[in-house]
Amino acid sequence: VRLILKKETNMITLPKQKVKATRKSPKNMVIYGPPKIGKTTALSQLDDCLIIDLEDGSDMVDALKVQVNDLSELTEVGKAIMKDGRPYKYIAIDTITKLEEWCEEDAKRIYMATPMGKNFEQKNPGASVLSLPNGAGYLYLRIAYKKWIDRLNKLADHVILVGHLKDKMLEKKGKEVAAKDLDLTGKIKSITCANADAIGYIYREDDETMVSFNSLDDVTAGSRCDHLKGQTMPLEWSNIFID
């Protein structure tokens, strides 16, 4: 008797009408602005938010916070958060500018794990992977950075990435104007912004901390969230995270 086993297949049901949105608030958010503008202070006022301080910048605020000094310590903090069942609703990484800097060493390790990079340290003692000709090292920096961003995104329902401000000059109507941009390297900035549901530029107006999600020629900002699109408002977390 010949038995014929029939392999079961997973059937995909295609939607016949619009599927409703499952959330309104940003899962991944980027905020950036000038130094000493109040970014860390604002994060300390967000309930149930753990600030992972990479730059020793939270000493002056009372907050849920933990200081880390390198990727090894960041790994241990991540493991502790996952082991404890992801106890925080929000995680803030302060700052991703420092994270990119640390990822340079990780990028070197990734490159040295490849056949063509196995003798890199022997031939170039102490050299950065970014010294590779034709900018080839930046590929490994992007790989390392994305690996860490993916890990951090698993630590909480909402992850806030804090960045520094980089002033750059743009030509506008024949004149050079100062533009506000996130201080990250080239495609790493693109990776960060593509991953974010909202990008807010933080600044001061009189005595009030403001956040702009208004995407202009001279400001990197924007949002996928309907309630934040094109908005400039006082930085009140209850107006950003609404569900």
Side-chain angles (χ1 to χ4, degrees), residues 81-192:
I81 291 171
M82 296 302 286
K83 184 178 180 180
D84 207 23
R86 302 200 321 159
Y88 307 102
K89 186 174 182 179
Y90 307 95
I91 294 284
I93 309 300
D94 191 3
T95 67
I96 47 172
T97 308
K98 177 60 74 173
L99 177 64
E100 180 190 353
E101 180 183 317
W102 288 353
C103 282
E104 194 172 322
E105 275 301 310
D106 200 25
K108 183 176 178 178
R109 286 189 288 269
I110 293 170
Y111 175 62
M112 290 177 62
T114 68
M116 58 187 170
K118 61 182 180 180
N119 297 320
F120 179 75
E121 180 64 28
Q122 181 181 346
K123 294 179 179 178
N124 308 274
S128 167
V129 71
L130 301 184
S131 66
L132 287 171
N134 303 316
Y138 285 93
L139 168 63
Y140 298 96
L141 180 61
R142 292 195 296 272
I143 292 170
Y145 179 81
K146 189 175 187 307
K147 178 186 78 174
W148 280 96
I149 289 296
D150 290 344
R151 286 181 180 180
L152 294 169
N153 283 341
K154 296 175 182 177
L155 299 182
D157 290 341
H158 304 275
V159 176
I160 303 168
L161 305 177
V162 184
H164 289 313
L165 171 69
K166 175 172 67 177
D167 281 316
K168 65 179 183 181
M169 301 306 294
L170 292 177
E171 187 173 323
K172 194 172 183 180
K173 295 182 180 179
K175 296 182 179 180
E176 283 197 335
V177 296
K180 311 301 181 186
D181 202 1
L182 186 59
D183 188 12
L184 292 172
T185 304
K187 292 185 180 179
I188 285 186
K189 188 192 86 170
S190 300
I191 291 169
T192 304

